[in-house]
C-alpha cells in the first residue's frame, strides 16, 4: 500500500492533458491500487491519475457511505449525458474549497476495467458528478474553471497563502 502525493492547485501539472492507457498491465493495476489507497486515506470520493502526477487516462471513485463500492475507469469516455443539476463540489487538489457547479445528472460511460475488459457504466446523482469531475482532470480542467474569474482569483490567493504557511 502506498499513499501518493496529491498535486495542489495552482500547480501547472494539473493542466496536463492525460494520454490514453495503451496496455492495462501490472504497473497500471499497482497504480490503481495506490490511487484507491490515496483516495480512501485523504479521504475523498474520487481521484484522477493527473492529481498524482501520472498523466494517463484513468480514475478511481467511491461515492458510497460505507466506502465499499470502488469504481475504476480506464480510458473513460462519456457516451451519453442528459439533465442538469447543481451540486456543491470539492476537490483533493483544492483543499477546503467547495463551490456549486452545474453538470449533467445522468451519464453513460464506456471504459476499461483494471483487467483491460471493456465496461459500460450508467451513473446518476453524485457518482455522475464525480465521474465528470474526474474526467475533467484528465483533460487538464478543474472545477474552479466553471466559476467566475473573480472567484477563481480569490481561491488561488487563499490556497497560495495556505501553501506558503505550510512550507
Ligand atoms: Zn478534483
Amino acid at each position: 500500500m502506498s499513499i501518493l502525493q496529491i498535486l495542489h492547485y495552482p500547480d501547472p501539472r494539473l493542466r496536463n492533458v492525460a494520454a490514453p492507457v495503451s496496455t492495462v498491465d501490472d504497473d497500471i493495476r499497482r497504480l490503481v491500487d495506490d490511487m484507491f489507497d490515496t483516495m480512501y486515506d485523504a479521504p475523498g470520493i474520487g481521484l484522477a491519475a493527473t492529481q498524482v502526477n501520472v498523466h494517463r487516462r484513468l480514475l478511481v471513485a467511491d461515492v458510497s457511505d460505507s466506502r465499499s463500492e470502488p469504481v475504476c475507469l480506464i480510458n473513460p469516455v462519456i457516451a451519453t449525458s442528459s439533465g442538469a443539476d447543481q451540486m456543491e463540489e470539492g476537490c483533493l487538489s483544492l483543499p477546503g474549497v467547495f463551490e456549486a457547479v452545474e453538470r449533467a445528472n445522468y451519464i453513460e460511460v464506456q471504459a476499461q476495467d483494471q483487467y483491460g475488459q471493456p465496461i459500460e457504466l450508467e451513473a446518476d446523482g453524485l457518482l455522475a458528478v464525480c465521474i465528470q469531475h474526474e474526467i475533467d482532470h484528465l483533460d487538464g480542467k478543474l472545477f474552479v474553471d466553471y466559476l467566475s474569474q473573480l472567484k477563481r482569483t480569490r481561491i488561488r490567493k487563499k490556497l497560495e497563502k495556505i501553501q506558503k504557511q505550510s512550507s
Side-chain angles (χ1 to χ4, degrees), residues 75-119:
N75 298 323
V77 175
I78 295 175
T80 306
S81 66
S82 63
D85 251 337
Q86 243 194 21
M87 223 183 259
E88 189 157 272
E89 295 187 22
C91 180
L92 294 175
S93 294
L94 290 100
V97 177
F98 300 92
E99 297 284 348
V101 174
E102 186 174 300
R103 297 190 190 266
N105 61 17
Y106 172 82
I107 56 170
E108 290 174 20
V109 187
Q110 292 171 347
Q112 288 165 273
D113 65 13
Q114 58 267 58
Y115 307 102
Q117 296 304 308
I119 49 170

Side-chain angles (χ1 to χ4, degrees), residues 51 90-92 133-134 137:
Q51 292 176 275
C91 180
L92 294 175
H133 174 123
E134 302 310 332
H137 275 301

Side-chain angles (χ1 to χ4, degrees), residues 1 4 12 34 53 144 155:
M1 155 160 175
L4 306 170
D34 289 345
N53 199 28
V144 289
I155 289 166

